[in-house]
Amino acid sequence: MTKTIAILPGDGIGPEIVAEAIKVLDKLWTSFGLDVQLEQGLVGGAAIDATGHPLPIETLELVKKANAVLLGAVGGPKWEPLDIAIRPEKGLLGLRSELKLFANLRPAILFPELANASTLKPEIVEGLDILIVRELTGGIYFGQPRGIRILDNGESQGVNTLVYNESEIERIARVAFESAEKRQKRLCSVDKANVLEATELWREIVTRVGKDYPNVQLTHMYVDNAAMQLVRAPKQFDVIVTTNMFGDILSDLASQLTGSIGMLPSASLDANNKGMYEPIHGSAPDIAGQNIANPLATILSIAMMLRYSLNKPKLATIVENAVSQVLREGLRTKDIQQKGTETISTREMGDAVVAALSQ
Ligand code: IPM
Ligand code: MG
């Protein structure tokens, strides 16, 4: 049966990189028999401009009926003056919570060809293959109460709440343990249990769930130490599971280990593996519209979509191999540029991946 993919290009470089991912989907359709139908929708600043709301009802209906969602990026300086409740980011957070996408998988894999593109020494990052499992629909991003209020003495006060229920911790822990079972069987749970009660509970529940996965070696680490260890000796990690905000921060950090934030895909999954797929980088307004952004994170997000939501693992590998091949050929967008390699545009990179798929 034909599967529907909702395409939400969003803002900044979103439309440019998504256009390249669509070329890849088209190629998979024409040459590899992938039976999908693409339907475009508005989200983020683009949706605010057109409808006044970052997540219009039409988009919500579209993503709810789709089998998977591809998202570019949201946000930009143009919408920063708006009230936080209707900023572009609310569109993304609304998608995550409306679709109950509680499990965010962010793999940080170093392509061997990019060992020199990282700011860390090649021997520190060579062979790096980490999976960050970030809780995505809870924690301080969604906790109540929140807001900015005026106190009796006239002073303003900003409030956010870090809150986790046992069931929320348990379900993300299970996703992480199951991922670890398929990999090196090592799971590091990252928290701040020495200070924050919400993550003291996190540690307790993850430890309890771990009893069901005796083959997985579970360790715990405080987030400050984890940040240091990630740049000191990143290869000690296999799978990391952590809260929404810690995962946000650590995944940006991990991306730099791989050479560029322009290389990292992500999958956000619900309990039934319906998913939204997006590069982890943002909308990069500073380079938007210049045809220089790296589309590979978005193309690799398509590979994750094929694997997790469309049940086409072979096609996923084909796409990943095509990305490896263009890197092997020395093709580089500006962000991963190295001495002696040619710098190509966003569109040329997309075309190169499509050409590699044909071989
Ligand atoms: C990410 C982004 C988002 C987040 C922003 C754009 C709301 O940084 O996906 O990592 O904080 O989750
Ligand atoms: Mg982030």
Side-chain angles (χ1 to χ4, degrees), residues 106 134 248 251-252 280:
R106 300 191 158 189
R134 169 187 178 195
D248 178 46
S251 59
D252 264 31
I280 82 145

Side-chain angles (χ1 to χ4, degrees), residues 89-358:
E89 289 76 5
K90 276 285 173 216
L92 177 57
L93 297 174
L95 283 168
R96 290 173 179 171
S97 68
E98 287 286 336
L99 296 176
K100 303 187 174 56
L101 306 173
F102 69 90
N104 185 213
L105 309 185
R106 300 191 158 189
I109 296 172
L110 182 82
F111 284 86
E113 297 78 11
L114 295 183
N116 289 312
S118 173
T119 44
L120 274 82
K121 296 191 191 92
E123 64 267 27
I124 303 288
V125 292
E126 253 160 15
L128 184 89
D129 181 354
I130 300 177
L131 176 67
I132 297 183
V133 178
R134 169 187 178 195
E135 198 291 324
L136 202 61
T137 51
I140 200 165
Y141 271 52
F142 292 93
Q144 294 291 344
R146 67 184 299 155
I148 298 175
R149 58 193 179 202
I150 312 284
L151 299 175
D152 290 345
N153 68 2
E155 193 188 6
S156 298
Q157 183 183 60
V159 182
N160 288 94
T161 305
L162 172 60
V163 50
Y164 270 115
N165 293 353
E166 194 178 337
S167 55
E168 289 178 296
I169 302 169
E170 173 160 352
R171 64 182 181 179
I172 193 70
R174 290 201 183 280
V175 170
F177 278 107
E178 277 156 31
S179 305
E181 275 188 326
K182 295 187 200 121
R183 296 169 45 103
Q184 306 267 308
K185 302 188 175 36
R186 285 181 291 118
L187 176 63
C188 179
S189 173
V190 172
D191 61 39
K192 190 72 188 173
N194 51 344
V195 179
L196 305 172
E197 288 82 352
T199 68
E200 190 187 341
L201 181 70
W202 177 280
R203 189 176 281 220
E204 187 187 315
I205 305 296
V206 173
T207 305
R208 192 186 74 204
V209 173
K211 303 227 172 1
D212 293 342
Y213 302 88
N215 300 331
V216 177
Q217 183 200 90
L218 172 67
T219 53
H220 303 274
M221 206 180 265
Y222 298 138
V223 63
D224 47 352
N225 185 24
M228 181 185 72
Q229 296 298 337
L230 270 169
V231 286
R232 193 188 73 84
K235 283 187 270 183
Q236 69 185 280
F237 296 104
D238 176 26
V239 180
I240 290 175
V241 63
T242 191
T243 63
N244 202 341
M245 186 159 78
F246 294 164
D248 178 46
I249 299 166
L250 294 182
S251 59
D252 264 31
L253 194 161
S255 74
Q256 191 54 38
L257 306 173
T258 71
S260 168
I261 196 165
M263 292 298 300
L264 254 68
S266 77
S268 306
L269 305 174
D270 74 0
N272 305 310
N273 278 354
K274 174 167 170 172
M276 180 161 82
Y277 298 83
E278 48 174 320
I280 82 145
H281 58 67
S283 58
D286 52 322
I287 59 163
Q290 297 176 34
N291 193 25
I292 59 170
N294 185 349
L296 293 180
T298 317
I299 292 172
L300 290 168
S301 299
I302 296 286
M304 291 191 89
M305 178 191 287
L306 290 162
R307 189 163 281 126
Y308 290 101
S309 291
L310 303 179
N311 201 16
K312 299 277 182 208
K314 286 196 188 115
L315 286 185
T317 306
I318 288 173
V319 172
E320 286 157 358
N321 288 345
V323 169
S324 292
Q325 186 179 325
V326 299
L327 293 174
R328 236 179 356 258
E329 286 166 4
L331 301 176
R332 301 281 187 273
T333 42
K334 205 166 166 228
D335 57 311
I336 48 175
Q337 190 179 10
Q338 283 162 260
K339 262 198 212 118
T341 60
E342 188 191 341
T343 301
I344 60 172
S345 69
T346 309
R347 288 196 282 274
E348 284 167 331
M349 186 57 106
D351 291 340
V353 174
V354 171
L357 281 171
S358 320

